[in-house]
Amino acid sequence: MSVLSIADVDVERAGLAVVRGVSLLVDPGSVTVLLGANGAGKTTLLEGVSGAIPIARGEIAVEGRRVDRMRAWRRARAGLAHVEQNRGVFADLTARENLLVACGPGRSPDRVLDLFPELRKQIDAPAGLLSGGEQQMLVVGRALLGEPKVLLIDEMSLGLGPIVVERLAAALRALADDGMGVLLVEQFAALALGIADRAYVMARGEIVFAGDGAALRSDDSLLRALYLGESTTGSGV
Ligand SMILES: Nc1ncnc2c1ncn2[C@@H]1O[C@H](COP(=O)(O)OP(=O)(O)OP(=O)(O)O)[C@@H](O)[C@H]1O
């Protein structure tokens, strides 16, 4: 069973349907990437899934259990974690304190430090002094401390250099290999497809491709056509 299933979802912004009829699956132990040009509706879809904004139509289920009528915090309890675009750290708190605020009682942040050992040497520094990549590790780490079943990540690479982005991508792949479902929204298609099992492309609010990550990775012209919203034959949906 999919850990996250999105079926025929519409989401509106200011009365306009900017996500239309989107269906998408994330399997446990896999990375699914959602690609698409600026304004395609990717962020809006993730916000509808996590409950930051309401959906206008459709169904969302975590491990088969409907969550689309739940408040965001209940969806989080059901196993959904959402790392929002441009989500920051608490700059004045130390890295350790940033993690501790996300830990349940009696839990420790060790799991995050095992995944991102580079945070250990900075653990008592104010988080605002960490590098951009380390701050993103903290943000992802905080989301992981709720022990989600599925992690939604929006534009993880924004403003970061290629080395640290590769490092973060490897960590996401490791989380998936450990059993979690990951849904990654990314502008950098090549990077995302490098760790993807399944890929979707959105254009103007709709899914225009659903398929194997490897199929898109090996077909530059298909990807370009999908981004530009040109019609394609064969591989689209
Ligand atoms: N708060 C808002 N109010 C009204 N319209 C919005 C709002 N946020 C986004 N939109 C519009 O909704 C559409 C989808 O935007 P969205 O941010 O979901 O796209 P995206 O694919 O995530 O693009 P980006 O990579 O630029 O974030 C765009 O036309 C955008 O202008």
Side-chain angles (χ1 to χ4, degrees):
M1 187 203 299
S2 298
V3 66
L4 174 67
S5 93
I6 300 171
D8 213 9
V9 161
D10 288 2
V11 192
E12 296 177 353
R13 292 277 200 196
L16 286 177
V18 298
V19 169
R20 293 191 303 271
V22 166
S23 296
L24 179 158
L25 297 174
V26 179
D27 289 334
S30 78
V31 176
T32 295
V33 300
L34 177 60
L35 305 171
N38 275 334
K42 308 176 300 292
T43 295
T44 302
L45 177 66
L46 289 198
E47 290 180 353
V49 170
S50 70
I53 57 175
I55 63 171
R57 187 170 70 98
E59 294 185 6
I60 300 162
V62 174
E63 289 184 331
R65 178 173 166 226
R66 287 279 294 272
V67 299
D68 47 82
R69 303 269 168 237
M70 294 178 183
R71 297 274 190 86
W73 66 270
R74 279 197 174 276
R75 297 188 203 193
R77 262 203 201 159
L80 268 175
H82 183 191
V83 174
E84 290 168 60
Q85 206 172 348
N86 297 321
R87 168 63 67 84
V89 294
F90 301 113
D92 296 334
L93 300 184
T94 66
R96 186 196 307 277
E97 287 164 342
N98 266 269
L99 294 174
L100 286 174
V101 292
C103 276
R107 294 224 189 105
S108 106
D110 285 356
R111 182 176 177 215
V112 171
L113 300 178
D114 290 342
L115 186 68
F116 298 121
E118 45 272 79
L119 291 177
R120 284 186 196 277
K121 61 181 189 306
Q122 305 272 31
I123 197 74
D124 291 313
L129 296 184
L130 270 55
S131 69
E134 289 160 348
Q135 292 191 18
Q136 185 65 288
M137 289 173 195
L138 264 188
V139 171
V140 173
R142 278 206 316 243
L144 293 175
L145 287 168
E147 299 186 3
K149 297 180 174 123
V150 56
L151 185 63
L152 316 174
I153 304 206
D154 200 353
E155 301 281 4
M156 167 183 80
S157 65
L158 219 61
L160 301 178
I163 292 172
V164 71
V165 170
E166 271 174 35
R167 171 76 190 88
L168 284 159
L172 293 186
R173 186 65 250 177
L175 288 168
D177 291 343
D178 227 23
M180 194 177 286
V182 176
L183 177 56
L184 174 65
V185 162
E186 239 327 308
Q187 281 287 330
F188 291 107
L191 166 92
L193 290 170
I195 59 164
D197 298 296
R198 184 182 286 144
Y200 293 85
V201 182
M202 270 181 97
R204 294 177 305 276
E206 295 176 327
I207 299 288
V208 293
F209 173 91
D212 206 21
L216 262 194
R217 192 161 55 230
S218 60
D219 192 342
D220 252 8
S221 57
L222 171 63
L223 189 61
R224 210 167 316 119
L226 290 166
Y227 260 75
L228 295 173
E230 293 164 8
S231 64
T232 54
T233 51
S235 309
V237 291

